[in-house]
Amino acid sequence: MSQVIAVTGVTFRSIGQRLGSSVVAVIGIAGVVIVFVAVLSIAEGFRQAMRGTGDPRTVIVLRSGSDTEMTSGLSGEDARLISEAPGLERGPGGTHASPELFVIVGHPLKRTGTDANVPLRGLSEVALRVRPQLKITDGRMFRSGTNEIVVGRAASQQFAGLSVGSTVRWGESAWQVVGIFDAGGSVAESEIWCDDRVLQAAYRRGNSYQSVYARLESVDSLQTFKDALTTDPRLNVTVIREPDYFAQQSQLLQTVIRTVGFAIAGLMGLGAIFGAVNTMYSAVANRTREIATLRALGFGSGPVVISVLAEAAILSIIGGMVGGALAWAGFDGYQTATMNWQSFSQVAFAFAVTPSLLVRAMLYALVMGLLGGLAPAIRAARLPVVTALRQL
């Protein structure tokens, strides 16, 4: 152990003599870490937006066999039967169940001006009692029977012309923005809401809906509510808790982003490893006489190997810290929108550079450094003492 400490100390003190090559290795690893964190922060931000949506007491009722609202369909009579089922929270106006219509409209993004698919949801006033966490932060709620809309906070930031007081046109109808709502950063903030009856008429949907959002009496009331619906021969529906539904919605895009992210980081990581190999081979070459002298004085090959790997580890950790800090400063909280391929609509969310993601990036940097330093370390350990001393 004393030999390891002594040799490693000498190694660290001599890093300044190889500053140029060391900086190159640090920059290479930092670049890989930036890309690694940036790409995976997209998946993490999307996951947080989707998983942050929903309350365990809120359930979504869809037509049986449907995995999204887009593929579901319920009649007005279905919605009435669902709203009357036992197990739901009740208020002065009846059960807290909100039949909802979900359509996609084309609207331009602020950053590009090109049209994107934006979810337009038709619902009634009871929707606010189903979603007690939602708050109108600017303006007011739409009035029933009018072409007024309220816009999610994230949607107002990502899409053009969605500020309070503005008017937009989709199809044959003009709509006035009267409010902005906040939903705690959930996917609901990517939506635009209006009166369900007006939306049915505007899009010729008759008395039909895609889903029913309902609030349970308690978290444990799910089975009572589900049994009442699934045993009713007049209904053919499936019931799922809201958080579970949106967690399922995020799986496909998360998988795609992470696959691409790991592939890119892997390819760049190979380049960083070769850079570390060159750096450490250069370090060993510059320290040939020093290593030979230590070996001649009785130092073993093990401490030499450990000293070279320690230098590679330190350089990779520095690179990882620099890359992680730059990625956090540049990407954390960056607002964007992307297509959710399961609902074919845009979801606005923020990049999330989380502590766990930074830890993974640091581990990746450390692995790159150790792999890059392994071959040079073995070469240093096998360096013939007599041959090396002749270079003195």
Side-chain angles (χ1 to χ4, degrees):
M1 182 58 69
S2 60
Q3 289 189 4
V4 170
I5 295 173
V7 176
T8 304
V10 172
T11 298
F12 289 164
R13 287 192 293 271
S14 63
I15 287 179
Q17 302 172 10
R18 305 179 297 279
L19 189 59
S21 60
S22 298
V23 170
V24 170
V26 168
I27 292 174
I29 290 174
V32 176
V33 168
I34 290 173
V35 173
F36 180 84
V37 172
V39 175
L40 294 190
S41 68
I42 299 174
E44 186 63 25
F46 186 78
R47 184 191 69 83
Q48 289 186 5
M50 299 298 281
R51 289 185 179 272
T53 300
D55 183 329
R57 284 183 60 188
T58 302
V59 294
I60 302 176
V61 183
L62 305 171
R63 185 185 64 195
S64 183
S66 302
D67 56 357
T68 69
E69 290 182 85
M70 286 294 295
T71 59
S72 176
L74 300 171
S75 67
E77 179 63 15
D78 291 337
R80 184 187 66 81
L81 293 172
I82 293 167
S83 301
E84 294 175 352
L88 295 183
E89 181 180 75
R90 293 180 178 273
T95 58
H96 293 171
S98 173
E100 301 185 358
L101 183 64
F102 186 90
V103 301
I104 299 297
V105 296
H107 195 77
L109 288 161
K110 282 184 177 180
R111 66 177 184 273
T112 63
T114 57
D115 275 359
N117 291 341
V118 184
L120 177 61
R121 184 179 295 275
L123 36 73
S124 62
E125 299 92 337
V126 74
L128 292 180
R129 294 192 287 274
V130 174
R131 303 171 173 88
Q133 76 281 2
L134 186 142
K135 297 177 181 178
I136 301 294
T137 57
D138 189 13
R140 58 174 174 82
M141 187 63 175
F142 64 78
R143 291 175 296 186
S144 298
T146 66
N147 281 40
E148 295 179 342
I149 57 176
V150 293
V151 180
R153 180 181 57 83
S156 69
Q157 295 173 349
Q158 292 297 315
F159 304 109
L162 293 180
S163 56
V164 174
S166 61
T167 300
V168 294
R169 176 174 289 276
W170 299 308
E172 300 176 357
S173 302
W175 307 81
Q176 183 180 10
V177 181
V178 297
I180 305 293
F181 66 84
D182 184 284
S186 70
V187 70
E189 291 187 2
S190 302
E191 298 180 348
I192 302 170
W193 291 1
C194 66
D195 181 73
D196 55 349
R197 297 296 184 183
V198 174
L199 188 61
Q200 287 174 342
Y203 284 82
R204 298 178 176 85
R205 296 296 182 91
N207 187 22
S208 66
Y209 300 91
Q210 257 72 55
S211 60
V212 175
Y213 282 65
R215 188 162 176 81
L216 300 171
E217 286 181 322
S218 68
V219 175
D220 299 328
S221 300
L222 175 63
Q223 199 59 48
T224 300
F225 179 63
K226 182 183 291 187
D227 290 344
L229 299 186
T230 55
T231 57
D232 190 332
R234 296 170 294 179
L235 294 171
N236 183 26
V237 296
T238 184
V239 183
I240 184 171
R241 291 191 194 272
E242 191 180 27
D244 296 335
Y245 171 77
F246 284 105
Q248 292 175 7
Q249 292 289 295
S250 68
Q251 291 302 315
L252 176 61
L253 187 58
Q254 283 189 72
T255 300
V256 171
I257 293 174
R258 284 178 175 148
T259 300
V260 172
F262 281 119
I264 294 174
L267 291 174
M268 292 188 66
L270 287 176
I273 289 171
F274 284 121
V277 168
N278 290 334
T279 298
M280 299 317 299
Y281 268 130
S282 175
V284 170
N286 291 335
R287 295 177 59 205
T288 299
R289 291 176 295 176
E290 172 191 315
I291 292 172
T293 302
L294 291 172
R295 293 289 304 280
L297 293 174
F299 284 81
S301 58
V304 173
V305 171
I306 293 174
S307 70
V308 175
L309 290 178
E311 180 178 349
I314 288 296
L315 294 178
S316 65
I317 289 173
I318 294 173
M321 292 175 64
V322 171
L326 292 175
W328 178 82
F331 297 102
D332 189 49
Y334 177 76
Q335 292 284 336
T336 188
T338 190
M339 176 73 78
N340 179 8
W341 294 105
Q342 289 178 270
S343 64
F344 297 101
S345 62
Q346 291 284 319
V347 175
F349 65 98
F351 285 42
V353 181
T354 62
S356 62
L357 181 54
L358 290 175
V359 169
R360 279 186 286 168
M362 289 296 298
L363 292 175
Y364 186 45
L366 183 59
V367 169
M368 285 189 291
L370 292 177
L371 289 177
L374 184 59
I378 294 174
R379 180 180 183 278
R382 292 178 176 176
L383 193 65
V385 176
V386 175
T387 303
L389 287 174
R390 286 174 182 169
Q391 298 180 25
L392 292 172

